[in-house]
Amino acid sequence: MTVMTSAPAIGTSGEPDIRRHELAGFLRSRRERISPEQVGLPRGRRRRTPGLRREEVAQLSAVGVTWYTWLEQARPIQVSPQVLDALAGALLLDPTERNHLFALAGQTDPHPETPCPAVTPALRGLLDQLEPVPAAVQNSRYDFLAHNRTFGRLFCDLDALPREERNSLWLAFTNDDFRAAVTDLPEVLASLAGKLRAAMAEHLAEPAWKELLHRLRTASPEFREIWARHDVVDQSGRTKLIHNAHVGLLRLEHTNLYLGPAAGPRLVTYVPVDEASRAGIERLRALILAEEAAQENGEAGTSAPAVPQGEDALAVA
């Protein structure tokens, strides 16, 4: 891979030097959060550097060690979109972080819809194997990075939303369908805001986190009021009562299974806690499969059946 290109040098042509230093700090922070095991490298006995070494990032992204070192030192060097693409993969950047990388470098992402490398094909396969149990991969900023069919319809039609809206807090404070599915909305809103504040303590200077906070403050008076309380909440799971628009009430046990460091991506599952809820999840999956079959045959989507209301819905088999 060629690393020196005709692309403009970062921080020149009138761009402020702060951009180079922001990029350097961002790369360093992403490198330090990744363990060697996450990218298939041996840890070794004398590792003192938190996360990956610079030479390991250079090896994984097929760029020169000296060149990558200069990049982390905020030197005014040239960088191409192809190299940024390789670095994004090596550092396991999620879509928001990838966008930030290209923005700092002043380049256009040639592949803006690139899947998050933290969601490996094996992990996507696991999501499918967990069907009909709703499951998703979520990062510490509460973005949904991947999900299976039943999770995609559990609260709202997640696949119909733009990628930037697939975030638990954004949905809870702004999406009518998501809010209608949450039976204890005031408690959930307070909990999510408290969890975000607790998680954000380690990311105060990161633009992606600040942008999410700005969007929530701008869009939701509810969020502004709750955020001003300065409450913090831990990540423990609990049983949730969800009113699904297609199959009615579901009692599900919410569990977080961390895929790396505690602050990193996690597998989120919603396991039915009783037979009525299990039957409801099965019906939801059957509905989704029927709609997919209808679309493949060029037919109109299957209409959802009438949903029983109230606690009686849990008795429907």
Side-chain angles (χ1 to χ4, degrees):
M1 177 181 291
T2 302
V3 299
M4 302 301 289
T5 75
S6 59
I10 302 170
T12 62
S13 302
E15 294 184 23
D17 289 345
I18 190 172
R19 178 172 296 211
R20 295 202 319 269
H21 291 280
E22 285 286 335
L23 177 59
F26 179 67
L27 289 172
R28 186 164 52 250
S29 70
R30 301 305 89 180
R31 171 173 62 83
E32 291 177 349
R33 74 174 183 175
I34 301 173
S35 68
E37 293 84 354
Q38 284 179 274
V39 291
L41 296 175
R43 171 167 292 277
R45 296 183 178 180
R46 297 185 177 182
R47 181 175 294 273
R48 298 178 182 177
T49 303
L52 298 178
R53 300 186 179 100
R54 286 173 175 170
E55 56 267 29
E56 290 171 332
V57 175
Q59 173 190 341
L60 290 168
S61 53
V63 301
V65 176
T66 299
W67 181 87
Y68 180 76
T69 300
W70 286 353
L71 195 58
E72 276 201 13
Q73 291 174 344
R75 298 196 188 190
I77 60 174
Q78 296 174 331
V79 59
S80 71
Q82 292 75 22
V83 170
L84 292 172
D85 180 51
L87 288 174
L91 295 171
L92 305 182
L93 301 188
D94 67 35
T96 302
E97 293 167 333
R98 180 185 174 94
N99 291 342
H100 183 57
L101 174 69
F102 279 85
L104 287 177
Q107 295 284 359
T108 300
D109 188 348
H111 307 293
E113 297 302 319
T114 299
C116 176
V119 184
T120 63
L123 187 52
R124 291 182 185 277
L126 176 60
L127 290 174
D128 292 337
Q129 289 295 316
L130 286 172
E131 294 275 15
V133 171
V137 177
Q138 192 171 38
N139 62 15
S140 56
R141 202 171 47 248
Y142 293 89
D143 299 322
F144 293 114
L145 305 179
H147 59 274
N148 62 14
R149 289 185 180 91
T150 45
F151 188 91
R153 293 293 191 89
L154 184 61
F155 294 95
C156 61
D157 189 349
L158 204 56
D159 293 314
L161 299 175
R163 189 169 64 184
E164 62 270 16
E165 294 185 11
R166 299 176 192 179
N167 174 279
S168 284
L169 281 107
W170 182 258
L171 294 171
F173 282 97
T174 69
N175 184 282
D176 290 339
D177 292 337
F178 189 97
R179 291 164 65 87
V182 179
T183 59
D184 53 347
L185 186 62
E187 180 182 348
V188 168
L189 294 181
S191 176
L192 282 171
K195 289 178 179 180
L196 180 67
R197 184 176 286 280
M200 196 168 181
E202 298 181 1
H203 307 275
L204 292 175
E206 295 184 25
W209 289 73
K210 292 190 287 187
E211 173 63 19
L212 174 61
L213 183 59
H214 173 73
R215 290 174 61 210
L216 288 166
R217 281 173 163 167
T218 301
S220 173
E222 281 181 297
F223 178 81
R224 291 197 299 271
E225 189 275 326
I226 296 172
W227 190 255
R229 301 174 193 169
H230 288 263
D231 293 334
V232 293
V233 179
D234 64 23
Q235 293 287 350
S236 59
R238 65 186 182 91
T239 299
K240 296 188 177 184
L241 183 63
I242 298 169
H243 188 279
N244 181 267
H246 304 291
V247 298
L249 289 171
L250 301 167
R251 285 195 175 92
L252 307 173
E253 182 72 24
H254 170 226
T255 303
N256 292 311
L257 302 173
Y258 287 91
L259 305 176
R266 59 187 178 272
L267 177 66
V268 181
T269 60
Y270 286 79
V271 178
V273 299
D274 54 43
E275 288 303 318
S277 297
R278 189 178 303 279
I281 288 294
E282 291 281 4
R283 293 199 308 276
L284 178 60
R285 181 170 184 260
L287 172 64
I288 296 169
L289 292 176
E291 289 181 344
E292 290 179 354
Q295 290 173 0
E296 289 178 0
N297 294 330
E299 302 171 0
T302 304
S303 59
V307 178
Q309 301 297 317
E311 290 290 336
D312 292 343
L314 289 172
V316 179

